[in-house]
Amino acid sequence: MYKIHPKTHFVGQIYQYLPSCQSTNDEASALLAHSDVVEGLLIATDNQTDGRGQRGNTWEAQPAQNLTFSLLFKPTFLTATEQFWLNMAVSLGVHDTIAPLVHEDCRVKWPNDLYIGFRKTGGILIENTLQGYNLAWSVVGIGLNVNQTEFSYSTATSLQQEAPLPNGYDRAGLLAILCEKLEKRYLQLRAGQRQVLKSDYMQTLYRYQQETRFSTEDRTFMGMIVDVDETGRLVVAEAGRTHRFGFKEVSFVPMTSE
């Protein structure tokens, strides 16, 4: 596919390319189970046949058009209850890469999708293993729509759709920048700069402090995102009360303008 030369200490310095695979996260997990690996290992493919997203969703990606890859991190400094901090750091790293390239508003949609305007351009799936109370390894899977321009869903978009270039985007160069931005945010996390990460995450959060329609298992209501707590739960204010929702417990209902 391509060679990359990221200006990093360890992220993406060791790189494996698979022309096709079912899931780069599965490939990374298999390496963890059967061999010694180094932190920052990157596994990328041009054709991911069964990519997974949050909530059991599949990730749609045409071959050789986008970026589908996984990275291995070793965040042993985080406890199991602190794992959302890694989500924050990774989401910000992807956002830092995309935001300068597009003219539309780029946002992180809780828990870890990337949106340009009202449409999804990227997704993140982090799968952790534990050693005692702490994280041992994290497999960070990222899918980013780059040059693909036709999608099965009207809610999907790509960099090429939103900010087209005459010859499309250089995926190798983009992947190198992603490695650099992800390492910067990960090192901030490792250095304990949580206030910086939290502040930046909230500033980029989709529909933060805006009236939004939400749906739960038993009702639909209007509320406003006011925070994301230490364990990653979405904090929503409704009529003077606040509710905290974990993954899969609440979803956004598209507004009429979307």
Side-chain angles (χ1 to χ4, degrees), residues 85-99 108 112 114 124 178 181-182 185-186 188 193-205:
W85 286 102
L86 181 60
N87 288 56
M88 284 191 192
V90 171
S91 298
L92 285 170
V94 181
H95 175 272
D96 294 344
T97 304
I98 298 173
V108 175
N112 43 23
L114 278 299
I124 298 162
L178 270 164
K181 300 296 187 182
L182 288 164
R185 289 297 188 173
Y186 181 73
Q188 283 182 328
Q193 298 178 26
R194 295 188 177 188
Q195 286 301 108
V196 173
L197 291 170
K198 177 67 178 292
S199 175
D200 289 351
Y201 185 84
M202 298 308 298
Q203 288 178 28
T204 63
L205 193 62

Side-chain angles (χ1 to χ4, degrees), residues 163-190:
L165 296 178
N167 299 312
Y169 285 82
D170 171 18
R171 290 183 301 140
L174 192 60
L175 183 54
I177 294 171
L178 270 164
C179 288
E180 294 161 13
K181 300 296 187 182
L182 288 164
E183 180 176 276
K184 180 180 178 181
R185 289 297 188 173
Y186 181 73
L187 291 177
Q188 283 182 328
L189 177 60
R190 196 162 74 180

Side-chain angles (χ1 to χ4, degrees), residues 30-47:
L31 285 177
L32 282 177
H34 298 105
S35 64
D36 292 330
V37 295
V38 297
E39 187 172 30
L41 172 68
L42 169 67
I43 300 175
T45 186
D46 255 341
N47 184 23

